[in-house]
Amino acid sequence: MLCYSKKRSMAMASFAFSFSCFLVLLSFFVFADAAGTIGINYGRVANDLPTPDKVVELLKSQGIKRVKLYDTDSAVLTALANSDISVVVALPNELLASTAADQSFADNWVQSNISHYYPKTQIEAIAVGNEVFVDPKNTTKFLVPAMKNVYNSLVKLNLSSIKISSPIALSALQNSYPSSAGSFKPDLIEPVMKPMMEFLRQSGSYLMVNAYPFFAYTANSKDISLDYALFKENQGTVDSGNGLKYYSLLEAQLDAVFAAMSAIQYNDIKMVVTETGWPSLGDENEIGANEENAASYNGNLVKRVLTGNGTPLRTQDPLNVYLFALFNENQKPGPTSERNYGLFYPNEEKVYDIPLTLKDLGNSQSTPVNRNNSQVPVNGTSGEVSKTSVGQTWCVANGNAGTEKLQVAIDYACGEGGADCRPIQPGATCYNPNTIEAHASYAFNSYYQKKARAAGTCDFGGTAYVVTQPPQFGSCEFPTGY
């Protein structure tokens, strides 16, 4: 809406128009005071991306003031110097063991990768590892010691204002429905969740969370309303545990994490959504992966963040979000969706057009987003989402592990491991397709589910990994729990 005045034949008409413009502008100022921030993940698993200098110019042209990286690449950090863009960098999972074991290693890493660029490059936080609990190399035990050593290094260099955290996936939850019953997996609580939360509390940091409503929707499209997943107008879902009403799946997911934090007495820790997004293209079985839905999810999320308050459970804590991702990355492994989360093509053209700033919102005429009434307790249970809609994971075989290794792992899973391998016997429901990868995936997943999806139970000597979408092998249905 353009707010300008022209001479009117009637003074009252001029006043009414000017006053309406004032209200529009005032609403943006009010929302901005209580609203969150939007950033973006700049991944580089591709061979056709623009140079870092060009990427920084693109970020500036779009008004993006926050960016999250997956490493500390020298060319990227140098390009971001003096750009007025805040940066989150990362210490990769493969460095966790060395960082945890040796303070001098952490000191050298911080000197070379942080202090060398700071403050010209506005590094505001370090993500130590990424989704470590599902890392097939089982690096969970190194996480908190590594976080502490990096923090100690920052203190030595008078850089303790830089926050330390580590992004967790929703698979860290044992229960996520209803949101009020959210809880962490028992085997994670004492070894890592409590120590990490205590570190975040003592260092004044926040929890990083990666949350993808797309995964829940594509796996449960019969149970979850697409409008509910995309922040569109919908009748909402009532949490039977506390009476709060939700109008978006993402907020329900985040509040499940908040409830899990509260259950272990850390309800004072803040949260930042370090990854969320929706793919513009996917495989045939990736229901909902298309350009229209991607534009709706990301566009409506930006509006929700920039013009709203917090989640129903944490109304006073603004939503701070990093969209995934800046570019489509053509070398990412996995299903087609993995290579199509970007807002931009590598040639810097938009995949679809969405607002990214308050200024953009002022010029857009998109559909409204449910916002202010999401925190109001109500009675009733209409529209509840299936318990299986969030936080579900499966274990599958790595097809590149080799027949010999996979057979050894199958023998263990179906024998000493106690997996239910009857469905993959000749003539049984999951015998076809009769391939080593399909049979291993079924056996591994049976073992994983019997062990309550505990951390480290989907490894099998590096021949297996965790996925967040139902495995597709013929018509076989993989169990999700016992």
Side-chain angles (χ1 to χ4, degrees), residues 156-396:
K156 292 178 184 178
L157 295 169
N158 294 317
L159 298 177
S160 59
S161 60
I162 297 175
K163 304 299 183 185
I164 301 290
S165 189
S166 184
I168 67 169
L170 292 182
S171 56
L173 297 178
Q174 175 73 14
N175 188 54
S176 57
Y177 181 84
S179 298
S180 58
S183 60
F184 292 116
K185 289 180 175 177
D187 62 307
L188 292 176
I189 292 176
E190 295 298 331
V192 64
M193 289 310 307
K194 282 187 175 180
M196 182 167 73
M197 291 295 174
E198 185 62 28
F199 169 78
L200 296 178
R201 175 184 282 168
Q202 294 298 325
S203 63
S205 190
Y206 50 82
L207 180 64
M208 295 177 171
V209 176
N210 297 345
Y212 287 88
F214 167 72
F215 294 144
Y217 174 76
T218 195
N220 302 275
S221 58
K222 293 181 180 179
D223 301 314
I224 300 176
S225 158
L226 181 59
D227 288 345
Y228 181 67
L230 298 179
F231 292 90
K232 289 184 175 181
E233 294 287 350
N234 64 88
Q235 53 186 315
T237 296
V238 179
D239 187 311
S240 58
N242 57 22
L244 296 178
K245 192 168 188 179
Y246 290 85
Y247 292 97
S248 76
L249 179 54
L250 177 66
E251 291 177 84
Q253 291 177 328
L254 299 182
D255 274 357
V257 180
F258 277 131
M261 294 162 64
S262 182
I264 59 172
Q265 310 303 313
Y266 286 95
N267 60 356
D268 56 321
I269 306 296
K270 307 293 184 183
M271 179 193 298
V272 170
V273 181
T274 38
E275 280 186 28
T276 191
W278 197 285
S280 60
L281 185 66
D283 293 324
E284 185 177 347
N285 66 318
E286 295 185 290
I287 301 171
N290 60 58
E291 191 172 306
E292 180 182 357
N293 289 343
S296 292
Y297 178 80
N298 285 319
N300 288 332
L301 172 60
V302 170
K303 295 173 205 170
R304 173 66 181 82
V305 169
L306 296 183
T307 65
N309 45 17
T311 66
L313 197 60
R314 294 281 192 96
T315 58
Q316 301 306 311
D317 292 347
L319 281 172
N320 296 314
V321 171
Y322 287 85
L323 300 178
F324 186 87
L326 184 57
F327 294 110
N328 283 343
E329 299 170 65
N330 67 350
Q331 292 185 317
K332 292 202 71 174
T336 298
S337 61
E338 285 295 318
R339 295 175 289 283
N340 289 278
Y341 275 91
L343 301 187
F344 293 87
Y345 294 109
N347 65 3
E348 301 184 42
E349 296 215 352
K350 292 182 178 180
V351 178
Y352 45 82
D353 194 10
I354 62 168
L356 292 170
T357 65
L358 276 175
K359 181 180 178 181
D360 293 340
L361 287 176
N363 294 329
S364 70
Q365 299 295 327
S366 301
T367 55
V369 181
N370 276 303
R371 175 176 70 231
N372 292 329
N373 58 348
S374 62
Q375 71 272 20
V376 180
V378 296
N379 295 318
T381 58
S382 62
E384 288 191 0
V385 180
S386 166
K387 182 178 179 180
T388 61
S389 65
V390 290
Q392 190 57 271
T393 54
W394 294 261
C395 182
V396 297

Side-chain angles (χ1 to χ4, degrees), residues 53-66 83-85 326-327 344 347-350 353-357 359-360:
D53 287 337
K54 289 185 177 180
V55 172
V56 171
E57 290 306 312
L58 176 64
L59 294 171
K60 288 181 176 180
S61 71
Q62 299 301 313
I64 298 172
K65 298 287 189 181
R66 313 181 90 84
S83 65
D84 198 31
I85 296 174
L326 184 57
F327 294 110
F344 293 87
N347 65 3
E348 301 184 42
E349 296 215 352
K350 292 182 178 180
D353 194 10
I354 62 168
L356 292 170
T357 65
K359 181 180 178 181
D360 293 340

